[in-house]
Amino acid sequence: MPHREAPTYLRIKSDFLARIRSGELKPGSSIPGDAEVAELFGCARQTAHRALRELADEGVIERRRRAGSRVALRTSQTARFEISRIDREIEATGAEYRYELLDRQAGSWTSLARERLAASRETPVLHLLCLHFANDVPFQLEERWIRLDTVPSAARQSFAEVGPNAWLLEHVPWSDAEHQVSAISASASVARRLRIDAGSPLLLLERRTWLDPQQPVTYVRLSHPGDFYHLRSRASQPKA
Amino acid sequence: MPHREAPTYLRIKSDFLARIRSGELKPGSSIPGDAEVAELFGCARQTAHRALRELADEGVIERRRRAGSRVALRTSQTARFEISRIDREIEATGAEYRYELLDRQAGSWTSLARERLAASRETPVLHLLCLHFANDVPFQLEERWIRLDTVPSAARQSFAEVGPNAWLLEHVPWSDAEHQVSAISASASVARRLRIDAGSPLLLLERRTWLDPQQPVTYVRLSHPGDFYHLRSRASQPKA
DNA sequence: GAGTGGTCTAGACCACTTT
DNA sequence: AAGTGGTCTAGACCACTCA
């Protein structure tokens, strides 16, 4: 296999990343401007510009007009967790997936859900209670509220076969999403559904989505027995 | 304030995003090639190319040579959680932060930590047990192992004043990181440290980092009383 | 006012992939 | 073999921001 030469803009990025990693360039160090970088690497300004722009987009450096570019000061690590459709996630492990709709009620608010969806008592809502199984073992309990004024078509869905998450992902676009992960004790009723002991640790994933910043779509609480479920994330520093 | 016209490549991105959001372009729909988009918008091919390339980088569309571009099929939502330095996170809430080193031992492996760091019994290691307080209430228990063959300078650190996370972030670059979040019951010893009841739910954040794919740096278990801590994430669809 | 980054163009060559 | 995306150039104008 012949070694293919990397594009110039990637070589420039690699070069700066290596110099940052080695400690030669420290957070706050200033970086040559587009024109100078272009001259150093013997390329057009546009090419140098692309390398530096992408480094800035990735948060590696900070650029300001007139003031020039500097190595960014990193204070936090970020982890990106993929939250897949539960059916695919279960099937990916080789287990058999099964879905069960436990309850479906229009107009059934809880005060928590009303607050989360910025709704009044009169706002039309669909409440769903669903259970997801892996090899016939309860894996996830899903408590969901859907605002019917935002998504009227949901009222015509039975959700007997297709889970609400799969349906919403395919039929309702979203502009904003909020996730929250916490650890709680299983209440008696949740524990009964999940066939675990009351008080057992649960990994609770809450999600809200919006059609646009003014229109909440759904609020969902996904409870998982602590032994079964975890969120995983693997990240690399920007490479090239 | 005069309304400033947006750059052409952003207008192109917005246009496609709007058409995707409206349902006019569905997952799998094909999208005109660079040249055609350039003609449609009356701009140079490079400009159209940048718009489409960025959409592809963001995962909105998929591009393949010869085959053209298509709207990507999204199956999962991704949430990006920022994992800050705990001291800053606590101070950001207005609470007072305090740090305490409970234990520091060289050569003290557990089998779990050895497995996570791909180490043998003879691999030199530093084990640390730390407690982080918010307003004098235990907030996070930190159990950490640092491979001293990878980071020899850690052996000279007392970690009495500066927490290991802050020190490592500033002194040891990393190329890869892995996070895992789960819910567990507090063991008796952990519960005692955190001044909670044994069996209480804990949000456990585990992290591993590598200097490069062959050199593990550290493995850490961060336990948080379920009532106090949660991971939060807010995301928007790519906007323009 | 001057320097820096941000964007755009017209033209070009190449590499990959499908037909 | 041909069409598509990926990259590069040389030159240009503009906008923002600091001195």
Side-chain angles (χ1 to χ4, degrees):
Chain A
M1 297 247 296
H3 184 275
R4 211 174 314 288
E5 194 136 338
T8 307
Y9 80 97
L10 287 181
R11 288 196 292 110
I12 297 175
K13 288 179 71 178
S14 300
D15 190 82
F16 278 108
L17 283 170
R19 287 207 271 163
I20 290 168
R21 210 162 295 173
S22 77
E24 182 190 336
L25 292 172
K26 290 173 187 169
S29 301
S30 85
I31 282 184
D34 293 13
E36 195 176 339
V37 171
E39 203 177 353
L40 285 170
F41 286 83
C43 65
R45 192 198 141 212
Q46 181 82 272
T47 303
H49 176 71
R50 178 170 176 189
L52 296 178
R53 173 166 44 79
E54 291 194 359
L55 286 175
D57 289 345
E58 290 160 7
V60 177
I61 66 174
E62 288 168 359
R63 317 192 79 192
R64 268 185 307 177
R65 288 172 151 104
R66 173 77 198 189
S69 305
R70 304 182 164 279
V71 178
L73 334 88
R74 311 204 155 178
T75 74
S76 67
Q77 305 202 3
T78 68
R80 176 191 248 120
F81 296 90
E82 293 227 343
I83 298 167
S84 319
R85 281 174 40 175
I86 186 73
D87 50 351
R88 302 206 175 158
E89 202 161 308
I90 288 173
E91 282 164 356
T93 69
E96 193 202 346
Y97 172 74
R98 189 161 64 82
Y99 162 75
E100 196 174 301
L101 178 63
L102 300 177
D103 193 32
R104 181 188 187 282
Q105 282 190 36
S108 169
W109 281 115
T110 64
S111 60
L112 174 67
R114 275 206 294 120
E115 185 262 317
R116 290 288 197 275
L117 290 174
S120 73
R121 279 196 174 72
E122 287 72 33
T123 308
V125 66
L126 184 64
H127 172 63
L128 300 166
L129 190 63
C130 320
L131 198 51
H132 303 263
F133 297 83
N135 286 339
D136 286 322
V137 178
F139 185 83
Q140 179 188 80
L141 180 69
E142 173 176 359
E143 303 170 84
R144 185 182 289 271
W145 290 263
I146 302 173
R147 274 188 63 153
L148 290 175
D149 52 346
T150 308
V151 192
S153 55
R156 296 189 298 274
Q157 276 292 318
S158 74
F159 296 108
E161 303 297 329
V162 180
N165 197 33
W167 186 84
L168 283 169
L169 267 176
E170 280 183 26
H171 292 81
V172 184
W174 55 275
S175 70
D176 292 86
E178 183 193 73
H179 293 86
Q180 180 167 312
V181 176
S182 50
I184 61 171
S185 280
S187 68
S189 65
V190 168
R192 187 163 35 79
R193 303 288 198 185
L194 287 170
R195 299 186 205 150
I196 57 177
D197 294 331
S200 303
L202 294 179
L203 190 70
L204 174 66
L205 173 65
E206 298 171 271
R207 173 163 61 223
R208 292 194 284 174
T209 62
W210 289 261
L211 201 58
D212 65 58
Q214 303 308 317
Q215 295 190 73
V217 171
T218 189
Y219 168 60
V220 61
R221 296 167 62 85
L222 304 169
S223 303
H224 313 81
D227 307 338
F228 285 169
Y229 189 73
H230 29 240
L231 291 166
R232 265 213 205 89
S233 159
R234 178 121 195 192
S236 293
Q237 293 276 15
K239 278 204 204 72
Chain B
M1 295 257 290
H3 184 277
R4 209 173 316 288
E5 193 133 342
T8 307
Y9 80 96
L10 286 181
R11 288 197 290 108
I12 298 175
K13 287 180 71 177
S14 300
D15 189 83
F16 278 107
L17 283 169
R19 288 207 270 162
I20 291 168
R21 211 162 293 172
S22 77
E24 182 190 334
L25 292 172
K26 290 172 188 171
S29 301
S30 85
I31 282 183
D34 294 13
E36 195 176 338
V37 171
E39 203 177 353
L40 285 169
F41 286 83
C43 65
R45 190 196 141 212
Q46 181 83 270
T47 305
H49 175 73
R50 178 171 176 187
L52 296 179
R53 173 167 44 81
E54 290 193 358
L55 286 175
D57 288 345
E58 290 159 6
V60 177
I61 66 174
E62 288 168 358
R63 319 193 77 194
R64 266 184 310 176
R65 288 172 150 106
R66 172 80 200 193
S69 304
R70 306 182 161 281
V71 178
L73 332 88
R74 307 207 159 182
T75 73
S76 67
Q77 305 203 3
T78 67
R80 179 191 242 114
F81 296 89
E82 292 228 344
I83 297 168
S84 320
R85 280 174 41 175
I86 186 72
D87 49 351
R88 303 208 173 153
E89 203 161 306
I90 287 174
E91 281 163 358
T93 70
E96 192 202 346
Y97 171 75
R98 188 161 66 80
Y99 162 75
E100 197 174 298
L101 178 63
L102 300 178
D103 192 33
R104 181 188 187 283
Q105 282 189 35
S108 169
W109 282 115
T110 65
S111 58
L112 175 67
R114 273 204 297 122
E115 185 262 316
R116 290 288 197 273
L117 291 174
S120 72
R121 279 196 172 76
E122 286 72 35
T123 309
V125 66
L126 186 64
H127 171 62
L128 299 166
L129 188 63
C130 319
L131 197 50
H132 303 263
F133 297 83
N135 286 339
D136 286 324
V137 177
F139 184 83
Q140 178 188 82
L141 180 69
E142 172 176 359
E143 302 170 85
R144 184 181 289 271
W145 290 262
I146 302 173
R147 274 187 65 152
L148 290 176
D149 52 345
T150 309
V151 193
S153 55
R156 297 189 297 274
Q157 276 292 318
S158 74
F159 295 107
E161 303 297 328
V162 181
N165 197 35
W167 185 84
L168 284 170
L169 266 176
E170 281 185 27
H171 293 81
V172 184
W174 54 275
S175 70
D176 292 85
E178 183 193 72
H179 292 87
Q180 179 166 314
V181 177
S182 50
I184 60 171
S185 280
S187 68
S189 65
V190 168
R192 185 164 37 82
R193 304 288 198 184
L194 288 170
R195 296 185 208 154
I196 57 178
D197 294 332
S200 302
L202 293 179
L203 191 70
L204 173 66
L205 174 64
E206 297 170 271
R207 173 162 57 221
R208 291 194 285 174
T209 61
W210 287 261
L211 199 59
D212 66 58
Q214 303 308 318
Q215 295 190 71
V217 171
T218 189
Y219 168 59
V220 62
R221 297 167 60 87
L222 304 169
S223 303
H224 313 81
D227 309 339
F228 284 169
Y229 190 73
H230 28 241
L231 291 166
R232 266 214 202 88
S233 160
R234 179 126 195 187
S236 294
Q237 292 277 16
K239 278 204 202 72

